[in-house]
Amino acid sequence: EKVNKLSDHTTINGSKVRAHIFKHELLQNFSLHLFAKRIIEPVTTLGALKRSLARRVALAALQIRLNVNSRGADPAFTFVEFNQLDSPREGCAVCSLDLTSEPHRWKEAIIKCTSEIHRLGKFGLTNSEFDRYKEAILADAAQLAAQGDTLAHGDVLNFLMEGVACGHTVMDASDSGNLIATEVALANMTLAEVNEQAAYLCKHVSVLSSDSTEEKTESSLSSGELVVIACAPKTAPAKSGDDSSDESAFDDDVCEELLVKTIQKAANEPIEPEEEILVPSSLISPEQLSEFIVNYKPEWLPAQFSDGTPSSPINPAADFQRPAILRRLNNGMKVHCANAGIERQRGALRLVAGGGRNWEVSAGKKKSSLAIGCRTMQEGGSFLEWTREQVELFCVDHLIMVEIAANEENMVMDLQFPTCEVAGLNGVECVLQVLREVMVSYNWEDDALLRAKSSFKQAYKGQLKSLEGASEEKLVSTLTQGDVRFQTVTLEDIENVKLEDARQSVMSQLTPSNIEISMVGDFGDQFEETVDLIYKYLGSIPEDTNSKYLDDDNAAVKVSSDDEGARVPVAKLGEHVHLELEDPDPRAVAYVAGKCPNKWGFIGAEDAKIQHICEINKIDEERRSHPFFGAACLLLITEIVNRRLFSIVREQKQLTYDANFSLTNFEALKGGWFLVTVTASKANANKALRACLETLQSIVARGGVGSDNLSSAKRVVINRHEGGLQSLKGYVEALSGLQMDSIPLKGPKCLTEFHRVVEGVTVKDVQAVLNECFDFDDEKKLFTAIGETIVPEGSGAVSDVDDDEQQLTRSPIIGMKRGGALMN
């Protein structure tokens, strides 16, 4: 759609608004970007720093209010963000509101968001909000100071360049003077000063209100004109299943004038001051914790591993001299805790409950109930007598972030937290309180389920309109013969899942014996106290917790190594899949897929016994019997194939800017598939697909993998492994699964002997795995797909041009999409 110069609209009280609505066939949501530009205030004095921090306090308060509203009983919007940032590129400070909503609720979304901005500008913050967000900003500044000497050089350079360009006085993040200045500014800050800055931030919205005392003059509107850009579906979404309401359409008659009137109406909605919310200082009192321990006495037990690593008796004197503690609790919970100062004053915790969508199917649970249940838990957050708002604000106060999701094999909770004291309570204790309450006292709510379903509906509709998403979904469905474990959650699944279905699926996996906890953080000399907190909060959870949700014939949730239900059913004979998607932008994507082992070397193709790489090749050498051998070979193969695709399809034949080879890397499920993805023009799609097939064939041909290929791949794999351990996320992922029975080959040896095993892999090893476990040279067993756009009738778009014009005329920028030579 051609975009003309934005038209000016004058509101009834004389304010100027420039607006435009952009519509496109592939959009399924309404989105709004409302912004105003302001003069940058250089931060060069303590007074300017105080005003800058006061704006941050006001922004934090408004963002949390909007987030809480977005998770109400029936939220009008699915995403909302309000911020003001100094932009050297724009030469000004940009104050913006971004929101996303369902097309038929665009008016409601604008009214709710705009009224909240007006409320903050008119009434300011409450006393508790003022105290809460001052404390949060101070804690954030303390963490930045602690991490100052570990920040990436690129991040520091960008910060310095932006600061200088805006005229700010830039201080070293690790310099104590920076933290002291922040402490002084916050200590002397008053609620009135914050409310003054809140009024300034919201001025471009408040000025639209009829009760505004501002004179509508150019000098009073220092923020400049208000600019509004909206994006919406061009036509009504296709009707499907029960989601066929006519209300789902965005009215094609909506114009810029109506958009401006809606915004002005929102600014004139009746508003009341924000009510104070009592936020608990602690979710579990010391008296309650003592009672838990009396009722169920915790006890540490030695860890048990299935990779051949012997169990060590509990020896506190020696254990705390090591970087990580690997133990079990007497309620069955497996625990890994590592003391690593890679991110100062920060920690990460991952809970893994085995089973995932695979168990959902084998246990006869309602389809997609686990995935929807996890999202419901994420959208909720009420524990016992504490409301969702109180729990959310408790997490905000203590800088805790929670994410809950399910995949084919596991249910996963990721929590990030500070390891220092925040708001009067240690961050480790706070995150363990949240985790315990989720497992023991979580309140399931109907409104959380509605929000979860809305989220999945949007994701499903988005995938149908995505060329890559729809093509890959069709290919995987064909490859796995329609196995529901690997399919996207559909509208029919969403409608069928009830609250009790979601509760049953999630809580039945949260039994202590099925849970593994991995925690990594900058605990310093508080490492022993951290482990003791785990012992008290998690060890005092009774072993029969949530057992009532298990069926009588399913006393444990697990995927054993010999379970035939854990097989990935890749069909024996390949097929070609073709998909067309209406889009005026001509483009295409091609895929090649086929069977492969899982991450640890197990393969279980259709009608074949589950075997390991070493069994298939009848390998007797001790070196190859190491539990990490199969995983090491697959890591190297992935890198070798990626480099070959990059070299041939992109550099030599210049058919694409991006060709990628990946494995599913299942750990508990036996088997999987590889996927080659290549983006191309429509004219070159078939050529790119053929080039990928020829490249795969060349790798398994005689001499296809040389010693130089393997040596460079080893460097990349080792450097990537070491780089991953330099982040909390990477370290936690490395620890997860070390004691899980469903992953028999993963254990401490995979970390302690990583370098030795990778360095020991030979060209002969790689060739043997390629020849026996991949069908690169047999096109009859490979699955291929091409997804391409077709120009909608009447769109006026130009179809694809000739082949010769699609050929790349020059090599793309070196390293694009690949990063450093030794890291990616």
Side-chain angles (χ1 to χ4, degrees), residues 814-824:
I814 295 175
M816 188 167 73
K817 290 289 287 182
R818 291 184 60 81
L822 298 181
M823 288 301 297
N824 292 290

Side-chain angles (χ1 to χ4, degrees), residues 381-407:
S382 170
F383 308 143
L384 290 178
E385 72 274 17
W386 306 117
T387 66
R388 174 181 60 84
E389 291 80 6
Q390 288 175 310
V391 173
E392 283 189 355
L393 292 176
F394 174 84
C395 291
V396 169
D397 285 357
H398 298 91
L399 307 181
I400 295 173
M401 292 182 287
V402 184
E403 184 176 353
I404 306 172
N407 56 34

Side-chain angles (χ1 to χ4, degrees), residues 38 78 139 142 179 183 207 228 254 258 361 414 522 627-628 649 796:
R38 295 175 174 151
T78 55
L179 178 59
E183 290 174 340
V207 77
V228 183
V254 173
L258 178 57
V361 173
D414 283 312
D522 179 25
F628 188 63
V649 183

Side-chain angles (χ1 to χ4, degrees), residues 689-708:
L689 179 61
R690 173 49 53 187
C692 290
L693 289 169
E694 293 172 355
T695 301
L696 296 179
Q697 292 168 5
S698 71
I699 291 174
V700 293
R702 185 178 182 84
V705 177
S707 57
D708 55 338

Side-chain angles (χ1 to χ4, degrees), residues 606-621:
E606 186 183 28
D607 299 330
K609 179 183 177 182
I610 294 175
Q611 291 180 293
H612 189 260
I613 286 175
C614 296
E615 296 173 335
I616 296 172
N617 289 280
K618 297 184 171 45
I619 297 172
D620 299 323
E621 295 181 31

